[in-house]
Amino acid sequence: MVLPEYVDGKVAVGSVTQGLLWTHGCTMDQADSIIQRIMLLEDVEIGILIKENENGFFKASLRSKDYANVAKVAEKFGGGGHAKAAGCPLGTSIGRIKYDLIQALTEAIER
């Protein structure tokens, strides 16, 4: 489930792990459309979808509706993209990195 849980509902985060895909008999290709659904949530400015690949590494897909530049945030984490659509690698342990990513996106919204 995805909830707009950060910055007064302006940032929503979803995640897809290999275990979740296996449990539901899905592929990552099928899960890729989740980011578009996140962006349909009312009041959400930034959507994040964290995906685990087959090797246990995580990547974040970032989307912005109006004013936040997610490419600048992705660059801070070794990624890139466009102002409204970007991505970045997160490594194998997403706990602290996810927190840092959300903090950076919070700053992008509050500017």
Side-chain angles (χ1 to χ4, degrees):
M1 175 160 30
V2 177
L3 296 174
E5 56 189 323
Y6 302 99
V7 196
D8 296 326
K10 292 181 180 152
V11 176
V13 181
S15 61
V16 179
T17 63
Q18 290 298 310
L20 183 69
L21 294 174
W22 184 84
T23 298
H24 295 284
C26 298
T27 65
M28 191 59 77
D29 287 340
Q30 293 169 307
D32 280 337
S33 65
I34 293 172
I35 191 75
Q36 284 83 23
R37 302 202 45 106
I38 291 172
M39 296 309 294
L40 294 175
L41 295 170
E42 188 175 344
D43 297 327
V44 167
E45 169 61 19
I46 295 176
I48 307 168
L49 181 61
I50 298 172
K51 302 179 286 187
E52 179 186 24
N53 71 17
E54 300 84 18
N55 297 322
F57 286 89
F58 292 88
K59 177 185 176 189
S61 295
L62 313 172
R63 300 292 182 272
S64 172
K65 280 185 186 171
D66 296 316
Y67 55 87
N69 186 335
V70 294
K72 286 185 179 180
V73 174
E75 288 173 5
K76 292 179 182 180
F77 293 88
H82 303 280
K84 304 283 185 231
C88 58
L90 297 178
T92 57
S93 176
I94 66 167
R96 177 64 189 195
I97 296 170
K98 178 181 169 184
Y99 174 82
D100 291 343
L101 178 63
I102 291 168
Q103 289 299 111
L105 290 168
T106 297
E107 291 172 15
I109 285 178
E110 293 176 345
R111 290 185 181 168

